[in-house]
Amino acid sequence: MKISKLSIKLLRYITPLVVLPSLFLGGFTLSNVTSSTQKQAKLTVSRFVEQQQQKILNYIDIYQSTTKLLSTSPVLNNYLGVRHLDSDTTEQRRVALQNVFASYTEAYPDIFSINLVDQQGRSTAYLANNLHLPPQGYAFFNQVRKSNLRQQYFMIPTDNGMTHLYFVQQVFAVNSSANQATLAGYVVVRVDPSIINYSILESPYDNALNLLITGEGKILFSSAPALYAQTLQSQEVDQVHNLADQEELTNLNLPSINKLDMISYAVQLSDDYYYLSAIPKHVLYESGQAIKNLTALIVLLSIIALPILVLIVVRRFLINPIELLGEASHRVGDGDLSVYLPNDNKDEVGKLFRDFNHMVKQIRDFQGELEDYKLHLEEKVDNRTFALERMNQQLETAFTQAEQANELKSRFLANMSHEIRTPLTAIIGFTEQLINNRDTQCNQKHLETMLRNSKHLLELINNILDLSKIEAEKLAVECSEVEVQPLMEDVADIIIPMSEQKQLSFSINYQFPIPKVLYSDATRVKQILIDICSNAVKFTEYGKVTIDVSYDVSTEHFKFIVEDTGIGMSQGEISRVFKPFEQADSTITRRFGGTGLGLCIAKNLAQLLGGDVMVKSEQGVGSQFVITIAGNYQDDTPPQMQNTLEVQQTKENITQEFADIHVNARILLAEDNLDNQELIALLLNAWGITPDIVDNGAQAVEKALINDYQLILMDMQMPVMGGLEATQMLRHAAYDGPIIALTANVMKHDIESYLKAGCDATLAKPIDREQLGKVLLKHLQLQAASESKWDSLLKSEKFAQIAHNYNQKLPEYLAQLKQYYQRGDWESLRALAHSLKGSAGCFGFTNIHSAADQLEQMLRTNDENQWHYAMLSLTEAINYTLKQQICESTKDYSESRS
């Protein structure tokens, strides 16, 4: 292989840069590998020993807690309390205690036996899982009696090569007469030391020796069974103690048990027990020696191989690509554009190759485009012509659709013009007839015709407004409690006269049980049912119209099925029936009339109320409309069901109710329209009420503040000052009587703004006589009751006493005012003025009320001259009131003397 000059130059510079760091790194690694190995060995062994220590201590803590829990058992306390009773009772409670022992042995399989001994070591209750008799005594019992510790544990080696683990807990008996506890004995629990055996047998290294020894050097547990029960020499025991204190991994020579050179680590358990782990030195540092040998080998190989590898890598990734790029550039210069460099790499060389390939491709594409323009210019002209023709077709389609939309709009406007002009013709014609022929006998009939056409015209306008709000997504629905039966009776009251006029039968069928109420918008639910039922009556020549009312418990929806025996519809007509401005066909419009808005509005309203409207129909047979409305019940409050119809209540007669309560009300009417003034006054006169009438809000405020009105009817749109501003001004002036808003704007946000301004209720225009009567009756009754209570309160002896006490406090209030003013405590002065404003008004001292209000307002400004004037006015008002009280007292005294 030919070696380039660049390769030789790179090898000359790279070799020392690679060899010298490798030698330094190798020496540093060899010098530190031993210490690192020792640290790693210490960490491994110390962590292992501490884990075993914690495991053994946890095991001991568990059974110490179990023994303590057993010593507090109520059954044990009962047994200790009957030792001086008869033998039968003692035996019964001993059996109960042994049952408790048995439950503990079942819960803790490591428990071999449980023994209750007295202070002399005699067994009084014993249970063992091997059914042996209780032991005659314990070797450690003397030590237990001498100790003051309540809890102790002992590890006792035996002759059969095992170590027994005992837990001892003091037991106290409570003397009820002396109210003190005395030592009654000990609970001795023998436990299988399984966890300790497992801990001794575990080891992080092979050939490791693990021991658990006593403070005197007795071996209790050993990973080498031959060392069991042996005893270390005294100097070896001292070494173990020192090693446990130091907590270091060091050499430990134990010739009595092992002749090898051992590295050991020891920790002290509680109660003078020691855990020792010893590992042969050659085993512990074997891995470190291997690392040193491997490090030396790596350093040697790196010195030899790294320069060669670096050269190979540089040649492969740098020199060879440079040579390949130079050869490709030469070929492109000769006109060969088929050159392509491999660009699989993601590094800078790969990016350079991609840029070179892109450059060659651009040159090739430009040449191809030039040839393409030369050869296919005519084809491109044809394609452009075809695209223009397709665009013209799309424009023609859009123009056709626009003409159809315009035609639909014109048809709708013509239909609406016909629908609006029809009732207007009747209204205008009969009005002219009544004006010109006042003595005609048909006045009542003509007036009824005018009223009916007016309501029809209002219905058309409401439908158009509802549809516009639905399309603008601005229609809001309420959610309030609606009683089902009164709702259906209201619908029947409207539909029955229509059906009787066409000699049709109409009925409502209830599928009981159904809820008594649902939570929805009563007005909109009634509108849906009336629209669909009136449609059913309109398109039915003979037969019947029925409404089935049911309730689906699974979906919590009401279902209203309106069924008729009318003309029916085809499938094509059904697909268009819920679209706006459309009926089945033009013949339907000519024959039955209508705008085609009712069903569209009904379906949208039902969807807003959580349901839907669906239709089934057959031509010549009839139609069935299925209306679903959500009940909106809460999950935790199921609806109250009813199984029968309730007795129908008699409709309220507003005029009779007004006559019954004998309301002598004084009402103010604020209305700028003369016709509306005359109409509302006429309605009020029928109930025995003659209102005062003003033309704008400013006059209403002036009248209301001068006169005592029980109720105000306030139009919201008036010149000079609107009803909204007038209401706010009256409320700020402390007018607390009812204010009823009259408005044609009945959107939800409009009503909310009226109520927020201070109105008590809202009446929509045109004025509905029944609604007006109900609102007036409600608020006039409340006002009459409130005035009656207030008059009785003012005449009561208790109020007189309170007023007298307030009069006595006026000098004190006057002194406080002067003190705050002289001291410059403006905040306290303003607070006292605010308090006097409210209290003086309540007790009828209007002069003090006005002066205190003026002082409070002035203190909110920065004009100190105004402060002085307001303060002077308030002090003079209080002084004047005090003088008046003195004069009245003197007069009363003189009259009593005479």
Side-chain angles (χ1 to χ4, degrees):
M1 180 180 66
K2 181 180 178 182
I3 300 177
S4 64
K5 296 179 180 180
L6 182 59
S7 300
I8 296 173
K9 185 181 295 184
L10 288 174
L11 184 61
R12 185 184 305 163
Y13 286 102
I14 289 174
T15 300
L17 293 177
V18 173
V19 171
L20 293 177
S22 298
L23 290 173
F24 176 77
L25 181 61
F28 179 78
T29 303
L30 291 174
S31 63
N32 288 282
V33 68
T34 301
S35 61
S36 299
T37 303
Q38 291 175 351
K39 291 179 181 179
Q40 182 63 32
K42 177 187 175 181
L43 180 62
T44 303
V45 175
S46 62
R47 185 177 298 171
F48 166 75
V49 173
E50 289 170 357
Q51 289 175 353
Q52 303 309 315
Q53 175 194 22
Q54 190 63 40
K55 189 183 300 183
I56 294 171
L57 291 177
N58 290 340
Y59 185 72
I60 292 172
D61 287 343
I62 289 172
Y63 283 99
Q64 281 184 331
S65 300
T66 303
T67 306
K68 183 178 180 180
L69 181 64
L70 177 60
S71 67
T72 59
S73 169
V75 178
L76 177 59
N77 293 333
N78 289 338
Y79 173 72
L80 294 175
V82 299
R83 289 182 298 173
H84 303 295
L85 301 179
D86 58 90
S87 59
D88 292 338
T89 304
T90 302
E91 185 59 29
Q92 290 176 2
R93 297 200 180 182
R94 179 184 291 111
V95 172
L97 179 59
Q98 288 179 338
N99 290 334
V100 173
F101 289 171
S103 65
Y104 272 78
T105 58
E106 291 177 2
Y108 300 95
D110 285 350
I111 296 179
F112 283 158
S113 66
I114 302 175
N115 192 7
L116 176 64
V117 299
D118 58 14
Q119 297 185 45
Q120 286 72 37
R122 294 188 299 270
S123 175
T124 59
Y126 179 76
L127 178 71
N129 55 11
N130 55 8
L131 303 180
H132 287 176
L133 295 176
Q136 297 298 321
Y138 297 100
F140 52 82
F141 194 74
N142 288 332
Q143 183 179 349
V144 170
R145 294 179 60 185
K146 295 177 181 179
S147 176
N148 292 326
L149 298 176
R150 290 195 174 187
Q151 272 191 340
Q152 300 179 68
Y153 71 92
F154 300 94
M155 298 182 187
I156 307 300
T158 62
D159 297 335
N160 57 359
M162 295 179 59
T163 297
H164 291 174
L165 179 57
Y166 294 92
F167 292 91
V168 181
Q169 174 73 37
Q170 292 181 353
V171 179
F172 292 88
V174 179
N175 188 344
S176 59
S177 61
N179 194 19
Q180 63 180 1
T182 59
L183 181 63
Y186 305 89
V187 173
V188 181
V189 179
R190 180 189 163 197
V191 178
D192 180 14
S194 56
I195 296 297
I196 299 177
N197 284 325
Y198 295 151
S199 299
I200 293 298
L201 294 177
E202 292 180 355
S203 178
Y205 294 98
D206 295 335
N207 300 324
L209 177 63
N210 297 327
L211 300 176
L212 181 62
I213 62 178
T214 66
E216 292 79 16
K218 189 76 171 182
I219 298 177
L220 300 176
F221 297 93
S222 173
S223 59
L227 299 178
Y228 175 76
Q230 293 186 20
T231 303
L232 300 180
Q233 299 177 6
S234 59
Q235 63 272 21
E236 294 176 340
V237 173
D238 293 338
Q239 293 180 18
V240 172
H241 291 178
N242 293 332
L243 184 61
D245 294 337
Q246 296 173 1
E247 294 186 358
E248 292 290 341
L249 184 66
T250 59
N251 291 328
L252 183 65
N253 187 13
L254 301 175
S256 60
I257 61 173
N258 199 319
K259 304 299 183 181
L260 296 177
D261 189 7
M262 307 288 281
I263 302 297
S264 303
Y265 191 90
V267 293
Q268 182 179 2
L269 303 177
S270 60
D271 296 333
D272 204 22
Y273 293 102
Y274 293 87
Y275 187 97
L276 175 67
S277 181
I279 301 99
K281 188 174 182 179
H282 69 277
V283 174
L284 188 63
Y285 298 142
E286 183 178 3
S287 59
Q289 186 61 39
I291 293 174
K292 288 194 291 185
N293 296 336
L294 180 60
T295 302
L297 179 60
I298 291 174
V299 171
L300 182 60
L301 291 177
S302 63
I303 293 173
I304 298 173
L306 277 179
I308 300 174
L309 291 175
V310 170
L311 180 61
I312 294 173
V313 170
V314 169
R315 178 166 183 81
R316 177 181 176 183
F317 292 103
L318 186 60
I319 296 176
N320 289 344
I322 291 175
E323 293 177 350
L324 185 60
L325 182 61
E327 181 181 353
S329 301
H330 184 73
R331 290 174 58 186
V332 171
D334 291 341
D336 184 4
L337 298 179
S338 62
V339 175
Y340 180 81
L341 296 178
N343 57 357
D344 299 332
N345 296 331
K346 304 298 182 181
D347 54 10
E348 286 76 7
V349 174
K351 184 177 182 302
L352 180 62
F353 281 10
R354 286 193 295 274
D355 293 342
F356 181 84
N357 292 334
H358 179 69
M359 180 188 67
V360 175
K361 181 177 179 299
Q362 288 291 96
I363 296 174
R364 191 166 52 245
D365 290 343
F366 289 151
Q367 289 184 351
E369 288 178 4
L370 182 60
E371 294 294 330
D372 184 67
Y373 277 116
K374 290 180 181 178
L375 299 176
H376 303 289
L377 182 60
E378 185 177 352
E379 181 181 352
K380 291 185 178 182
V381 172
D382 293 339
N383 291 337
R384 181 61 59 85
T385 303
F386 176 75
L388 290 175
E389 290 177 354
R390 185 170 59 185
M391 185 177 296
N392 289 334
Q393 292 176 356
Q394 293 176 352
L395 291 174
E396 290 178 358
T397 302
F399 182 73
T400 304
Q401 292 176 350
E403 285 184 340
Q404 292 175 352
N406 190 34
E407 182 181 356
L408 180 62
K409 175 184 175 182
S410 300
R411 188 164 64 244
F412 166 70
L413 291 176
N415 189 23
M416 290 306 302
S417 175
H418 170 74
E419 291 294 329
I420 293 174
R421 288 173 182 273
T422 300
L424 280 177
T425 301
I427 295 170
I428 295 171
F430 283 112
T431 303
E432 292 175 348
Q433 180 68 21
L434 290 173
I435 293 173
N436 296 328
N437 301 299
R438 300 190 176 207
D439 299 330
T440 181
Q441 298 179 356
C442 299
N443 281 356
Q444 181 66 28
K445 181 178 179 182
H446 293 168
L447 289 172
E448 291 175 354
T449 302
M450 293 167 59
L451 179 62
R452 184 174 64 255
N453 282 275
S454 299
K455 290 182 177 179
H456 177 60
L457 184 60
L458 178 62
E459 180 183 354
L460 290 176
I461 296 172
N462 287 336
N463 283 342
I464 295 173
L465 294 176
D466 284 345
L467 182 63
S468 64
K469 285 186 282 187
I470 289 172
E471 290 182 344
E473 298 182 355
K474 297 295 185 180
L475 184 63
V477 294
E478 299 179 354
C479 185
S480 58
E481 184 178 282
V482 182
E483 295 190 20
V484 177
Q485 183 179 341
L487 172 72
M488 299 308 299
E489 291 173 355
D490 290 344
V491 174
D493 290 342
I494 297 174
I495 302 301
I496 287 176
M498 298 171 58
S499 59
E500 289 177 349
Q501 187 177 3
K502 297 186 69 174
Q503 297 181 354
L504 302 175
S505 65
F506 176 79
S507 61
I508 300 177
N509 303 320
Y510 295 90
Q511 306 296 327
F512 293 108
I514 61 174
K516 186 176 181 180
V517 299
L518 75 154
Y519 294 91
S520 189
D521 191 324
T523 303
R524 296 305 182 181
V525 175
K526 191 184 300 183
Q527 179 180 350
I528 295 169
L529 293 173
I530 291 174
D531 281 350
I532 294 179
C533 290
S534 60
N535 258 6
V537 173
K538 180 167 66 175
F539 293 110
T540 303
E541 297 293 339
Y542 59 89
K544 62 181 180 179
V545 175
T546 61
I547 305 177
D548 288 341
V549 183
S550 61
Y551 177 69
D552 191 341
V553 179
S554 60
T555 61
E556 295 187 351
H557 277 63
F558 276 85
K559 183 183 291 185
F560 305 90
I561 302 177
V562 180
E563 193 167 0
D564 62 62
T565 57
I567 62 175
M569 293 179 287
S570 65
Q571 292 300 318
E573 293 167 349
I574 290 175
S575 64
R576 302 194 306 271
V577 72
F578 293 115
K579 293 182 179 179
F581 317 126
E582 293 195 17
Q583 291 184 329
D585 53 39
S586 59
T587 60
I588 297 296
T589 305
R590 291 193 300 270
R591 182 179 174 187
F592 296 99
T595 61
L597 298 178
L599 291 179
C600 173
I601 294 173
K603 186 175 181 69
N604 282 277
L605 288 177
Q607 291 173 349
L608 286 174
L609 297 176
D612 203 353
V613 178
M614 295 174 288
V615 62
K616 297 178 183 177
S617 184
E618 184 177 349
Q619 282 187 327
V621 177
S623 301
Q624 182 187 80
F625 285 83
V626 180
I627 306 148
T628 56
I629 302 294
N632 296 319
Y633 301 109
Q634 299 295 330
D635 295 337
D636 54 348
T637 55
Q640 179 185 357
M641 309 298 284
Q642 67 180 67
N643 296 304
T644 58
L645 291 177
E646 297 179 352
V647 178
Q648 185 175 0
Q649 299 290 331
T650 304
K651 298 292 184 180
E652 296 178 351
N653 189 325
I654 300 298
T655 304
Q656 184 61 39
E657 288 197 30
F658 268 103
D660 291 341
I661 64 173
H662 303 289
V663 175
N664 185 18
R666 189 174 183 185
I667 292 179
L668 175 65
L669 171 62
E671 171 64 60
D672 63 315
N673 186 278
L674 297 178
D675 296 330
N676 287 342
Q677 290 179 0
E678 185 178 356
L679 173 62
I680 297 173
L682 188 63
L683 293 175
L684 296 175
N685 291 337
W687 295 325
I689 300 173
T690 302
D692 292 344
I693 302 175
V694 294
D695 297 328
N696 56 62
Q699 295 176 0
V701 173
E702 181 180 354
K703 280 265 189 181
L705 294 179
I706 296 174
N707 302 306
D708 185 17
Y709 291 108
Q710 281 76 35
L711 186 140
I712 300 176
L713 296 174
M714 183 77 72
D715 184 24
M716 291 293 107
Q717 302 289 336
M718 291 184 292
V720 182
M721 179 184 289
L724 198 66
E725 296 85 350
T727 301
Q728 292 173 342
M729 186 174 292
L730 286 172
R731 292 308 186 198
H732 290 159
Y735 176 79
D736 58 353
I739 300 177
I740 311 301
L742 304 178
T743 179
N745 299 329
V746 290
M747 299 290 286
K748 186 176 180 181
H749 64 274
D750 293 325
I751 296 176
E752 289 176 352
S753 65
Y754 303 151
L755 296 178
K756 185 177 180 181
C759 294
D760 295 274
T762 303
L763 284 175
K765 292 182 180 180
I767 302 297
D768 184 89
R769 180 177 178 274
E770 293 292 327
Q771 291 296 327
L772 175 61
K774 290 179 180 178
V775 170
L776 293 179
L777 190 62
K778 172 184 175 183
H779 289 282
L780 289 177
Q781 283 180 327
L782 293 176
Q783 184 75 358
S786 176
E787 290 179 357
S788 175
K789 292 179 180 179
W790 180 250
D791 291 340
S792 62
L793 177 63
L794 293 178
K795 296 175 183 178
S796 65
E797 182 179 351
K798 184 177 181 179
F799 181 81
Q801 181 63 38
I802 295 174
H804 177 72
N805 294 338
Y806 183 77
N807 294 339
Q808 298 297 321
K809 292 181 180 179
L810 284 177
E812 181 182 348
Y813 290 148
L814 181 61
Q816 288 182 4
L817 286 171
K818 293 179 179 179
Q819 180 183 1
Y820 291 152
Y821 186 80
Q822 293 172 0
R823 199 167 58 192
D825 190 353
W826 309 120
E827 188 62 30
S828 299
L829 182 63
R830 187 175 64 82
L832 182 57
H834 177 78
S835 176
L836 285 172
K837 179 182 70 173
S839 59
C842 291
F843 293 106
F845 301 130
T846 56
N847 57 340
I848 299 178
H849 168 80
S850 301
D853 181 40
Q854 183 181 10
L855 176 59
E856 182 186 8
Q857 299 300 327
M858 289 299 103
L859 287 174
R860 298 180 186 275
T861 67
N862 296 324
D863 191 350
E864 296 187 4
N865 294 326
Q866 294 291 338
W867 295 359
H868 178 72
Y869 174 76
M871 176 64 184
L872 183 61
S873 299
L874 179 56
T875 55
E876 288 299 321
I878 296 175
N879 287 326
Y880 174 78
T881 302
L882 291 174
K883 291 178 182 179
Q884 291 293 108
Q885 295 297 328
I886 294 173
C887 292
E888 290 179 4
S889 299
T890 305
K891 181 179 180 182
D892 292 341
Y893 177 77
S894 300
E895 291 177 354
S896 63
R897 295 285 292 175
S898 63

